[in-house]
Amino acid sequence: MANRINREQVQHVAGLAKLEFTDAELDAFTPQLDDIIGMFETLSEVDTDGVEVTSNVSDQLNVMREDVADNWGQSAALLKNAPDAARGFIKVPAIIDESEDN
């Protein structure tokens, strides 16, 4: 069986996702991801001619509540537990750093 993904590709995708893996983790994840890709390749071999498209596997329609904003009065407690906050908002690290070289 040919490898569908190699260690360098896993490391590249991890970098895009801002993930850092040790050499041991890369050695463990690479064959696992290769097996997952293999499973999808197996699925692509299934004959689906004449099979009706499935867009929903449940017969229930909309079981979600209406999306209504509600002030539960818990913002102070929430902000107290946040690692960093300013002016009533939780501060998070930037996920897109445009200063990096591409």
mmCIF file with all atom_site columns, all heavy atoms in Angstrom, residues 12-39:
data_model
loop_
_atom_site.group_PDB
_atom_site.id
_atom_site.type_symbol
_atom_site.label_atom_id
_atom_site.label_alt_id
_atom_site.label_comp_id
_atom_site.label_asym_id
_atom_site.label_entity_id
_atom_site.label_seq_id
_atom_site.pdbx_PDB_ins_code
_atom_site.Cartn_x
_atom_site.Cartn_y
_atom_site.Cartn_z
_atom_site.occupancy
_atom_site.B_iso_or_equiv
_atom_site.pdbx_formal_charge
_atom_site.auth_seq_id
_atom_site.auth_comp_id
_atom_site.auth_asym_id
_atom_site.auth_atom_id
_atom_site.pdbx_PDB_model_num
ATOM 1   N N   . HIS A 1 12 ? 3.276   20.334 7.650  1.00 0.00 ? 12 HIS A N   1
ATOM 2   C CA  . HIS A 1 12 ? 2.846   21.549 6.952  1.00 0.00 ? 12 HIS A CA  1
ATOM 3   C C   . HIS A 1 12 ? 1.408   21.922 7.338  1.00 0.00 ? 12 HIS A C   1
ATOM 4   O O   . HIS A 1 12 ? 1.125   23.082 7.661  1.00 0.00 ? 12 HIS A O   1
ATOM 5   C CB  . HIS A 1 12 ? 2.960   21.337 5.441  1.00 0.00 ? 12 HIS A CB  1
ATOM 6   C CG  . HIS A 1 12 ? 2.408   22.467 4.638  1.00 0.00 ? 12 HIS A CG  1
ATOM 7   N ND1 . HIS A 1 12 ? 3.044   23.687 4.531  1.00 0.00 ? 12 HIS A ND1 1
ATOM 8   C CD2 . HIS A 1 12 ? 1.270   22.574 3.913  1.00 0.00 ? 12 HIS A CD2 1
ATOM 9   C CE1 . HIS A 1 12 ? 2.319   24.494 3.773  1.00 0.00 ? 12 HIS A CE1 1
ATOM 10  N NE2 . HIS A 1 12 ? 1.235   23.842 3.394  1.00 0.00 ? 12 HIS A NE2 1
ATOM 11  N N   . VAL A 1 13 ? 0.513   20.946 7.310  1.00 0.00 ? 13 VAL A N   1
ATOM 12  C CA  . VAL A 1 13 ? -0.886  21.210 7.659  1.00 0.00 ? 13 VAL A CA  1
ATOM 13  C C   . VAL A 1 13 ? -0.995  21.618 9.126  1.00 0.00 ? 13 VAL A C   1
ATOM 14  O O   . VAL A 1 13 ? -1.757  22.523 9.478  1.00 0.00 ? 13 VAL A O   1
ATOM 15  C CB  . VAL A 1 13 ? -1.775  19.985 7.348  1.00 0.00 ? 13 VAL A CB  1
ATOM 16  C CG1 . VAL A 1 13 ? -3.185  20.178 7.874  1.00 0.00 ? 13 VAL A CG1 1
ATOM 17  C CG2 . VAL A 1 13 ? -1.809  19.735 5.845  1.00 0.00 ? 13 VAL A CG2 1
ATOM 18  N N   . ALA A 1 14 ? -0.209  20.990 9.989  1.00 0.00 ? 14 ALA A N   1
ATOM 19  C CA  . ALA A 1 14 ? -0.213  21.367 11.406 1.00 0.00 ? 14 ALA A CA  1
ATOM 20  C C   . ALA A 1 14 ? 0.223   22.822 11.557 1.00 0.00 ? 14 ALA A C   1
ATOM 21  O O   . ALA A 1 14 ? -0.370  23.580 12.334 1.00 0.00 ? 14 ALA A O   1
ATOM 22  C CB  . ALA A 1 14 ? 0.713   20.443 12.197 1.00 0.00 ? 14 ALA A CB  1
ATOM 23  N N   . GLY A 1 15 ? 1.236   23.226 10.796 1.00 0.00 ? 15 GLY A N   1
ATOM 24  C CA  . GLY A 1 15 ? 1.682   24.616 10.847 1.00 0.00 ? 15 GLY A CA  1
ATOM 25  C C   . GLY A 1 15 ? 0.604   25.582 10.395 1.00 0.00 ? 15 GLY A C   1
ATOM 26  O O   . GLY A 1 15 ? 0.429   26.651 10.985 1.00 0.00 ? 15 GLY A O   1
ATOM 27  N N   . LEU A 1 16 ? -0.141  25.217 9.352  1.00 0.00 ? 16 LEU A N   1
ATOM 28  C CA  . LEU A 1 16 ? -1.244  26.065 8.890  1.00 0.00 ? 16 LEU A CA  1
ATOM 29  C C   . LEU A 1 16 ? -2.310  26.225 9.966  1.00 0.00 ? 16 LEU A C   1
ATOM 30  O O   . LEU A 1 16 ? -2.958  27.270 10.060 1.00 0.00 ? 16 LEU A O   1
ATOM 31  C CB  . LEU A 1 16 ? -1.866  25.480 7.616  1.00 0.00 ? 16 LEU A CB  1
ATOM 32  C CG  . LEU A 1 16 ? -0.989  25.464 6.368  1.00 0.00 ? 16 LEU A CG  1
ATOM 33  C CD1 . LEU A 1 16 ? -1.688  24.714 5.234  1.00 0.00 ? 16 LEU A CD1 1
ATOM 34  C CD2 . LEU A 1 16 ? -0.620  26.874 5.933  1.00 0.00 ? 16 LEU A CD2 1
ATOM 35  N N   . ALA A 1 17 ? -2.491  25.168 10.750 1.00 0.00 ? 17 ALA A N   1
ATOM 36  C CA  . ALA A 1 17 ? -3.485  25.197 11.827 1.00 0.00 ? 17 ALA A CA  1
ATOM 37  C C   . ALA A 1 17 ? -2.894  25.740 13.127 1.00 0.00 ? 17 ALA A C   1
ATOM 38  O O   . ALA A 1 17 ? -3.553  25.701 14.163 1.00 0.00 ? 17 ALA A O   1
ATOM 39  C CB  . ALA A 1 17 ? -4.037  23.794 12.055 1.00 0.00 ? 17 ALA A CB  1
ATOM 40  N N   . LYS A 1 18 ? -1.656  26.237 13.062 1.00 0.00 ? 18 LYS A N   1
ATOM 41  C CA  . LYS A 1 18 ? -0.971  26.778 14.236 1.00 0.00 ? 18 LYS A CA  1
ATOM 42  C C   . LYS A 1 18 ? -0.817  25.724 15.332 1.00 0.00 ? 18 LYS A C   1
ATOM 43  O O   . LYS A 1 18 ? -0.917  26.007 16.521 1.00 0.00 ? 18 LYS A O   1
ATOM 44  C CB  . LYS A 1 18 ? -1.696  28.011 14.802 1.00 0.00 ? 18 LYS A CB  1
ATOM 45  C CG  . LYS A 1 18 ? -1.890  29.128 13.806 1.00 0.00 ? 18 LYS A CG  1
ATOM 46  C CD  . LYS A 1 18 ? -0.625  29.908 13.647 1.00 0.00 ? 18 LYS A CD  1
ATOM 47  C CE  . LYS A 1 18 ? -0.903  31.139 12.768 1.00 0.00 ? 18 LYS A CE  1
ATOM 48  N NZ  . LYS A 1 18 ? 0.254   31.874 12.438 1.00 0.00 ? 18 LYS A NZ  1
ATOM 49  N N   . LEU A 1 19 ? -0.568  24.467 14.922 1.00 0.00 ? 19 LEU A N   1
ATOM 50  C CA  . LEU A 1 19 ? -0.323  23.376 15.855 1.00 0.00 ? 19 LEU A CA  1
ATOM 51  C C   . LEU A 1 19 ? 1.155   23.034 15.829 1.00 0.00 ? 19 LEU A C   1
ATOM 52  O O   . LEU A 1 19 ? 1.789   23.095 14.777 1.00 0.00 ? 19 LEU A O   1
ATOM 53  C CB  . LEU A 1 19 ? -1.130  22.136 15.466 1.00 0.00 ? 19 LEU A CB  1
ATOM 54  C CG  . LEU A 1 19 ? -2.646  22.279 15.466 1.00 0.00 ? 19 LEU A CG  1
ATOM 55  C CD1 . LEU A 1 19 ? -3.294  21.020 14.898 1.00 0.00 ? 19 LEU A CD1 1
ATOM 56  C CD2 . LEU A 1 19 ? -3.156  22.556 16.867 1.00 0.00 ? 19 LEU A CD2 1
ATOM 57  N N   . GLU A 1 20 ? 1.680   22.680 16.969 1.00 0.00 ? 20 GLU A N   1
ATOM 58  C CA  . GLU A 1 20 ? 3.068   22.257 17.045 1.00 0.00 ? 20 GLU A CA  1
ATOM 59  C C   . GLU A 1 20 ? 3.112   20.829 17.567 1.00 0.00 ? 20 GLU A C   1
ATOM 60  O O   . GLU A 1 20 ? 2.515   20.522 18.599 1.00 0.00 ? 20 GLU A O   1
ATOM 61  C CB  . GLU A 1 20 ? 3.857   23.174 17.982 1.00 0.00 ? 20 GLU A CB  1
ATOM 62  C CG  . GLU A 1 20 ? 3.986   24.588 17.463 1.00 0.00 ? 20 GLU A CG  1
ATOM 63  C CD  . GLU A 1 20 ? 4.796   25.475 18.402 1.00 0.00 ? 20 GLU A CD  1
ATOM 64  O OE1 . GLU A 1 20 ? 5.502   24.940 19.285 1.00 0.00 ? 20 GLU A OE1 1
ATOM 65  O OE2 . GLU A 1 20 ? 4.705   26.704 18.249 1.00 0.00 ? 20 GLU A OE2 1
ATOM 66  N N   . PHE A 1 21 ? 3.786   19.937 16.820 1.00 0.00 ? 21 PHE A N   1
ATOM 67  C CA  . PHE A 1 21 ? 3.915   18.543 17.212 1.00 0.00 ? 21 PHE A CA  1
ATOM 68  C C   . PHE A 1 21 ? 5.377   18.193 17.424 1.00 0.00 ? 21 PHE A C   1
ATOM 69  O O   . PHE A 1 21 ? 6.250   18.682 16.711 1.00 0.00 ? 21 PHE A O   1
ATOM 70  C CB  . PHE A 1 21 ? 3.341   17.615 16.137 1.00 0.00 ? 21 PHE A CB  1
ATOM 71  C CG  . PHE A 1 21 ? 1.855   17.737 15.936 1.00 0.00 ? 21 PHE A CG  1
ATOM 72  C CD1 . PHE A 1 21 ? 1.317   17.799 14.664 1.00 0.00 ? 21 PHE A CD1 1
ATOM 73  C CD2 . PHE A 1 21 ? 0.985   17.771 17.014 1.00 0.00 ? 21 PHE A CD2 1
ATOM 74  C CE1 . PHE A 1 21 ? -0.047  17.896 14.470 1.00 0.00 ? 21 PHE A CE1 1
ATOM 75  C CE2 . PHE A 1 21 ? -0.379  17.876 16.824 1.00 0.00 ? 21 PHE A CE2 1
ATOM 76  C CZ  . PHE A 1 21 ? -0.904  17.935 15.558 1.00 0.00 ? 21 PHE A CZ  1
ATOM 77  N N   . THR A 1 22 ? 5.617   17.331 18.382 1.00 0.00 ? 22 THR A N   1
ATOM 78  C CA  . THR A 1 22 ? 6.961   16.805 18.588 1.00 0.00 ? 22 THR A CA  1
ATOM 79  C C   . THR A 1 22 ? 7.235   15.783 17.486 1.00 0.00 ? 22 THR A C   1
ATOM 80  O O   . THR A 1 22 ? 6.317   15.350 16.771 1.00 0.00 ? 22 THR A O   1
ATOM 81  C CB  . THR A 1 22 ? 7.074   16.107 19.960 1.00 0.00 ? 22 THR A CB  1
ATOM 82  O OG1 . THR A 1 22 ? 6.204   14.962 19.966 1.00 0.00 ? 22 THR A OG1 1
ATOM 83  C CG2 . THR A 1 22 ? 6.727   17.060 21.096 1.00 0.00 ? 22 THR A CG2 1
ATOM 84  N N   . ASP A 1 23 ? 8.496   15.369 17.356 1.00 0.00 ? 23 ASP A N   1
ATOM 85  C CA  . ASP A 1 23 ? 8.836   14.341 16.375 1.00 0.00 ? 23 ASP A CA  1
ATOM 86  C C   . ASP A 1 23 ? 8.065   13.054 16.650 1.00 0.00 ? 23 ASP A C   1
ATOM 87  O O   . ASP A 1 23 ? 7.583   12.406 15.721 1.00 0.00 ? 23 ASP A O   1
ATOM 88  C CB  . ASP A 1 23 ? 10.343  14.065 16.386 1.00 0.00 ? 23 ASP A CB  1
ATOM 89  C CG  . ASP A 1 23 ? 11.142  15.193 15.754 1.00 0.00 ? 23 ASP A CG  1
ATOM 90  O OD1 . ASP A 1 23 ? 10.561  15.980 14.975 1.00 0.00 ? 23 ASP A OD1 1
ATOM 91  O OD2 . ASP A 1 23 ? 12.355  15.288 16.033 1.00 0.00 ? 23 ASP A OD2 1
ATOM 92  N N   . ALA A 1 24 ? 7.931   12.697 17.916 1.00 0.00 ? 24 ALA A N   1
ATOM 93  C CA  . ALA A 1 24 ? 7.194   11.480 18.270 1.00 0.00 ? 24 ALA A CA  1
ATOM 94  C C   . ALA A 1 24 ? 5.719   11.595 17.882 1.00 0.00 ? 24 ALA A C   1
ATOM 95  O O   . ALA A 1 24 ? 5.123   10.623 17.392 1.00 0.00 ? 24 ALA A O   1
ATOM 96  C CB  . ALA A 1 24 ? 7.323   11.209 19.771 1.00 0.00 ? 24 ALA A CB  1
ATOM 97  N N   . GLU A 1 25 ? 5.131   12.767 18.084 1.00 0.00 ? 25 GLU A N   1
ATOM 98  C CA  . GLU A 1 25 ? 3.722   12.963 17.701 1.00 0.00 ? 25 GLU A CA  1
ATOM 99  C C   . GLU A 1 25 ? 3.568   12.891 16.189 1.00 0.00 ? 25 GLU A C   1
ATOM 100 O O   . GLU A 1 25 ? 2.614   12.281 15.686 1.00 0.00 ? 25 GLU A O   1
ATOM 101 C CB  . GLU A 1 25 ? 3.220   14.298 18.241 1.00 0.00 ? 25 GLU A CB  1
ATOM 102 C CG  . GLU A 1 25 ? 3.046   14.317 19.750 1.00 0.00 ? 25 GLU A CG  1
ATOM 103 C CD  . GLU A 1 25 ? 2.757   15.698 20.302 1.00 0.00 ? 25 GLU A CD  1
ATOM 104 O OE1 . GLU A 1 25 ? 3.280   16.703 19.763 1.00 0.00 ? 25 GLU A OE1 1
ATOM 105 O OE2 . GLU A 1 25 ? 2.017   15.780 21.300 1.00 0.00 ? 25 GLU A OE2 1
ATOM 106 N N   . LEU A 1 26 ? 4.491   13.500 15.460 1.00 0.00 ? 26 LEU A N   1
ATOM 107 C CA  . LEU A 1 26 ? 4.432   13.420 13.996 1.00 0.00 ? 26 LEU A CA  1
ATOM 108 C C   . LEU A 1 26 ? 4.548   11.976 13.529 1.00 0.00 ? 26 LEU A C   1
ATOM 109 O O   . LEU A 1 26 ? 3.835   11.547 12.617 1.00 0.00 ? 26 LEU A O   1
ATOM 110 C CB  . LEU A 1 26 ? 5.530   14.266 13.360 1.00 0.00 ? 26 LEU A CB  1
ATOM 111 C CG  . LEU A 1 26 ? 5.278   15.757 13.312 1.00 0.00 ? 26 LEU A CG  1
ATOM 112 C CD1 . LEU A 1 26 ? 6.539   16.493 12.864 1.00 0.00 ? 26 LEU A CD1 1
ATOM 113 C CD2 . LEU A 1 26 ? 4.128   16.084 12.379 1.00 0.00 ? 26 LEU A CD2 1
ATOM 114 N N   . ASP A 1 27 ? 5.444   11.219 14.163 1.00 0.00 ? 27 ASP A N   1
ATOM 115 C CA  . ASP A 1 27 ? 5.608   9.813  13.803 1.00 0.00 ? 27 ASP A CA  1
ATOM 116 C C   . ASP A 1 27 ? 4.349   9.008  14.096 1.00 0.00 ? 27 ASP A C   1
ATOM 117 O O   . ASP A 1 27 ? 4.033   8.053  13.393 1.00 0.00 ? 27 ASP A O   1
ATOM 118 C CB  . ASP A 1 27 ? 6.799   9.203  14.554 1.00 0.00 ? 27 ASP A CB  1
ATOM 119 C CG  . ASP A 1 27 ? 8.130   9.754  14.075 1.00 0.00 ? 27 ASP A CG  1
ATOM 120 O OD1 . ASP A 1 27 ? 8.188   10.298 12.942 1.00 0.00 ? 27 ASP A OD1 1
ATOM 121 O OD2 . ASP A 1 27 ? 9.121   9.650  14.826 1.00 0.00 ? 27 ASP A OD2 1
ATOM 122 N N   . ALA A 1 28 ? 3.599   9.392  15.136 1.00 0.00 ? 28 ALA A N   1
ATOM 123 C CA  . ALA A 1 28 ? 2.369   8.692  15.480 1.00 0.00 ? 28 ALA A CA  1
ATOM 124 C C   . ALA A 1 28 ? 1.192   9.146  14.616 1.00 0.00 ? 28 ALA A C   1
ATOM 125 O O   . ALA A 1 28 ? 0.389   8.326  14.168 1.00 0.00 ? 28 ALA A O   1
ATOM 126 C CB  . ALA A 1 28 ? 2.037   8.911  16.958 1.00 0.00 ? 28 ALA A CB  1
ATOM 127 N N   . PHE A 1 29 ? 1.099   10.453 14.357 1.00 0.00 ? 29 PHE A N   1
ATOM 128 C CA  . PHE A 1 29 ? -0.054  10.982 13.625 1.00 0.00 ? 29 PHE A CA  1
ATOM 129 C C   . PHE A 1 29 ? -0.009  10.683 12.131 1.00 0.00 ? 29 PHE A C   1
ATOM 130 O O   . PHE A 1 29 ? -1.051  10.515 11.495 1.00 0.00 ? 29 PHE A O   1
ATOM 131 C CB  . PHE A 1 29 ? -0.178  12.493 13.833 1.00 0.00 ? 29 PHE A CB  1
ATOM 132 C CG  . PHE A 1 29 ? -0.580  12.887 15.228 1.00 0.00 ? 29 PHE A CG  1
ATOM 133 C CD1 . PHE A 1 29 ? -0.145  14.080 15.764 1.00 0.00 ? 29 PHE A CD1 1
ATOM 134 C CD2 . PHE A 1 29 ? -1.389  12.076 16.001 1.00 0.00 ? 29 PHE A CD2 1
ATOM 135 C CE1 . PHE A 1 29 ? -0.507  14.460 17.053 1.00 0.00 ? 29 PHE A CE1 1
ATOM 136 C CE2 . PHE A 1 29 ? -1.762  12.443 17.284 1.00 0.00 ? 29 PHE A CE2 1
ATOM 137 C CZ  . PHE A 1 29 ? -1.315  13.640 17.818 1.00 0.00 ? 29 PHE A CZ  1
ATOM 138 N N   . THR A 1 30 ? 1.173   10.622 11.552 1.00 0.00 ? 30 THR A N   1
ATOM 139 C CA  . THR A 1 30 ? 1.272   10.433 10.102 1.00 0.00 ? 30 THR A CA  1
ATOM 140 C C   . THR A 1 30 ? 0.604   9.135  9.649  1.00 0.00 ? 30 THR A C   1
ATOM 141 O O   . THR A 1 30 ? -0.252  9.169  8.757  1.00 0.00 ? 30 THR A O   1
ATOM 142 C CB  . THR A 1 30 ? 2.734   10.520 9.640  1.00 0.00 ? 30 THR A CB  1
ATOM 143 O OG1 . THR A 1 30 ? 3.236   11.817 9.980  1.00 0.00 ? 30 THR A OG1 1
ATOM 144 C CG2 . THR A 1 30 ? 2.854   10.312 8.145  1.00 0.00 ? 30 THR A CG2 1
ATOM 145 N N   . PRO A 1 31 ? 0.912   7.985  10.243 1.00 0.00 ? 31 PRO A N   1
ATOM 146 C CA  . PRO A 1 31 ? 0.217   6.772  9.791  1.00 0.00 ? 31 PRO A CA  1
ATOM 147 C C   . PRO A 1 31 ? -1.277  6.786  10.129 1.00 0.00 ? 31 PRO A C   1
ATOM 148 O O   . PRO A 1 31 ? -2.087  6.221  9.384  1.00 0.00 ? 31 PRO A O   1
ATOM 149 C CB  . PRO A 1 31 ? 0.948   5.632  10.501 1.00 0.00 ? 31 PRO A CB  1
ATOM 150 C CG  . PRO A 1 31 ? 1.757   6.249  11.576 1.00 0.00 ? 31 PRO A CG  1
ATOM 151 C CD  . PRO A 1 31 ? 1.973   7.677  11.208 1.00 0.00 ? 31 PRO A CD  1
ATOM 152 N N   . GLN A 1 32 ? -1.645  7.436  11.229 1.00 0.00 ? 32 GLN A N   1
ATOM 153 C CA  . GLN A 1 32 ? -3.070  7.518  11.568 1.00 0.00 ? 32 GLN A CA  1
ATOM 154 C C   . GLN A 1 32 ? -3.825  8.307  10.499 1.00 0.00 ? 32 GLN A C   1
ATOM 155 O O   . GLN A 1 32 ? -4.912  7.898  10.050 1.00 0.00 ? 32 GLN A O   1
ATOM 156 C CB  . GLN A 1 32 ? -3.260  8.171  12.932 1.00 0.00 ? 32 GLN A CB  1
ATOM 157 C CG  . GLN A 1 32 ? -2.794  7.326  14.090 1.00 0.00 ? 32 GLN A CG  1
ATOM 158 C CD  . GLN A 1 32 ? -2.923  8.048  15.421 1.00 0.00 ? 32 GLN A CD  1
ATOM 159 O OE1 . GLN A 1 32 ? -3.546  9.097  15.534 1.00 0.00 ? 32 GLN A OE1 1
ATOM 160 N NE2 . GLN A 1 32 ? -2.309  7.480  16.455 1.00 0.00 ? 32 GLN A NE2 1
ATOM 161 N N   . LEU A 1 33 ? -3.266  9.454  10.102 1.00 0.00 ? 33 LEU A N   1
ATOM 162 C CA  . LEU A 1 33 ? -3.916  10.256 9.069  1.00 0.00 ? 33 LEU A CA  1
ATOM 163 C C   . LEU A 1 33 ? -3.914  9.525  7.730  1.00 0.00 ? 33 LEU A C   1
ATOM 164 O O   . LEU A 1 33 ? -4.872  9.619  6.960  1.00 0.00 ? 33 LEU A O   1
ATOM 165 C CB  . LEU A 1 33 ? -3.243  11.616 8.947  1.00 0.00 ? 33 LEU A CB  1
ATOM 166 C CG  . LEU A 1 33 ? -3.483  12.547 10.138 1.00 0.00 ? 33 LEU A CG  1
ATOM 167 C CD1 . LEU A 1 33 ? -2.602  13.781 10.037 1.00 0.00 ? 33 LEU A CD1 1
ATOM 168 C CD2 . LEU A 1 33 ? -4.935  12.942 10.223 1.00 0.00 ? 33 LEU A CD2 1
ATOM 169 N N   . ASP A 1 34 ? -2.853  8.784  7.454  1.00 0.00 ? 34 ASP A N   1
ATOM 170 C CA  . ASP A 1 34 ? -2.796  7.998  6.232  1.00 0.00 ? 34 ASP A CA  1
ATOM 171 C C   . ASP A 1 34 ? -3.921  6.952  6.221  1.00 0.00 ? 34 ASP A C   1
ATOM 172 O O   . ASP A 1 34 ? -4.583  6.750  5.196  1.00 0.00 ? 34 ASP A O   1
ATOM 173 C CB  . ASP A 1 34 ? -1.428  7.319  6.113  1.00 0.00 ? 34 ASP A CB  1
ATOM 174 C CG  . ASP A 1 34 ? -1.203  6.718  4.748  1.00 0.00 ? 34 ASP A CG  1
ATOM 175 O OD1 . ASP A 1 34 ? -1.160  7.500  3.776  1.00 0.00 ? 34 ASP A OD1 1
ATOM 176 O OD2 . ASP A 1 34 ? -1.075  5.483  4.660  1.00 0.00 ? 34 ASP A OD2 1
ATOM 177 N N   . ASP A 1 35 ? -4.167  6.311  7.366  1.00 0.00 ? 35 ASP A N   1
ATOM 178 C CA  . ASP A 1 35 ? -5.259  5.337  7.471  1.00 0.00 ? 35 ASP A CA  1
ATOM 179 C C   . ASP A 1 35 ? -6.615  6.008  7.262  1.00 0.00 ? 35 ASP A C   1
ATOM 180 O O   . ASP A 1 35 ? -7.502  5.444  6.610  1.00 0.00 ? 35 ASP A O   1
ATOM 181 C CB  . ASP A 1 35 ? -5.246  4.646  8.833  1.00 0.00 ? 35 ASP A CB  1
ATOM 182 C CG  . ASP A 1 35 ? -4.075  3.690  9.001  1.00 0.00 ? 35 ASP A CG  1
ATOM 183 O OD1 . ASP A 1 35 ? -3.449  3.309  7.985  1.00 0.00 ? 35 ASP A OD1 1
ATOM 184 O OD2 . ASP A 1 35 ? -3.783  3.313  10.158 1.00 0.00 ? 35 ASP A OD2 1
ATOM 185 N N   . ILE A 1 36 ? -6.799  7.207  7.812  1.00 0.00 ? 36 ILE A N   1
ATOM 186 C CA  . ILE A 1 36 ? -8.070  7.929  7.652  1.00 0.00 ? 36 ILE A CA  1
ATOM 187 C C   . ILE A 1 36 ? -8.302  8.252  6.185  1.00 0.00 ? 36 ILE A C   1
ATOM 188 O O   . ILE A 1 36 ? -9.406  8.066  5.654  1.00 0.00 ? 36 ILE A O   1
ATOM 189 C CB  . ILE A 1 36 ? -8.085  9.198  8.525  1.00 0.00 ? 36 ILE A CB  1
ATOM 190 C CG1 . ILE A 1 36 ? -8.114  8.812  10.001 1.00 0.00 ? 36 ILE A CG1 1
ATOM 191 C CG2 . ILE A 1 36 ? -9.263  10.109 8.164  1.00 0.00 ? 36 ILE A CG2 1
ATOM 192 C CD1 . ILE A 1 36 ? -7.862  9.955  10.964 1.00 0.00 ? 36 ILE A CD1 1
ATOM 193 N N   . ILE A 1 37 ? -7.271  8.734  5.507  1.00 0.00 ? 37 ILE A N   1
ATOM 194 C CA  . ILE A 1 37 ? -7.398  9.036  4.077  1.00 0.00 ? 37 ILE A CA  1
ATOM 195 C C   . ILE A 1 37 ? -7.731  7.763  3.321  1.00 0.00 ? 37 ILE A C   1
ATOM 196 O O   . ILE A 1 37 ? -8.555  7.767  2.399  1.00 0.00 ? 37 ILE A O   1
ATOM 197 C CB  . ILE A 1 37 ? -6.114  9.702  3.548  1.00 0.00 ? 37 ILE A CB  1
ATOM 198 C CG1 . ILE A 1 37 ? -5.959  11.085 4.178  1.00 0.00 ? 37 ILE A CG1 1
ATOM 199 C CG2 . ILE A 1 37 ? -6.136  9.795  2.022  1.00 0.00 ? 37 ILE A CG2 1
ATOM 200 C CD1 . ILE A 1 37 ? -4.610  11.738 3.934  1.00 0.00 ? 37 ILE A CD1 1
ATOM 201 N N   . GLY A 1 38 ? -7.125  6.655  3.717  1.00 0.00 ? 38 GLY A N   1
ATOM 202 C CA  . GLY A 1 38 ? -7.425  5.367  3.087  1.00 0.00 ? 38 GLY A CA  1
ATOM 203 C C   . GLY A 1 38 ? -8.884  4.975  3.240  1.00 0.00 ? 38 GLY A C   1
ATOM 204 O O   . GLY A 1 38 ? -9.491  4.414  2.317  1.00 0.00 ? 38 GLY A O   1
ATOM 205 N N   . MET A 1 39 ? -9.463  5.273  4.393  1.00 0.00 ? 39 MET A N   1
ATOM 206 C CA  . MET A 1 39 ? -10.884 4.969  4.603  1.00 0.00 ? 39 MET A CA  1
ATOM 207 C C   . MET A 1 39 ? -11.756 5.761  3.637  1.00 0.00 ? 39 MET A C   1
ATOM 208 O O   . MET A 1 39 ? -12.737 5.246  3.095  1.00 0.00 ? 39 MET A O   1
ATOM 209 C CB  . MET A 1 39 ? -11.280 5.270  6.048  1.00 0.00 ? 39 MET A CB  1
ATOM 210 C CG  . MET A 1 39 ? -10.719 4.319  7.053  1.00 0.00 ? 39 MET A CG  1
ATOM 211 S SD  . MET A 1 39 ? -11.259 4.782  8.721  1.00 0.00 ? 39 MET A SD  1
ATOM 212 C CE  . MET A 1 39 ? -9.890  4.202  9.672  1.00 0.00 ? 39 MET A CE  1
#
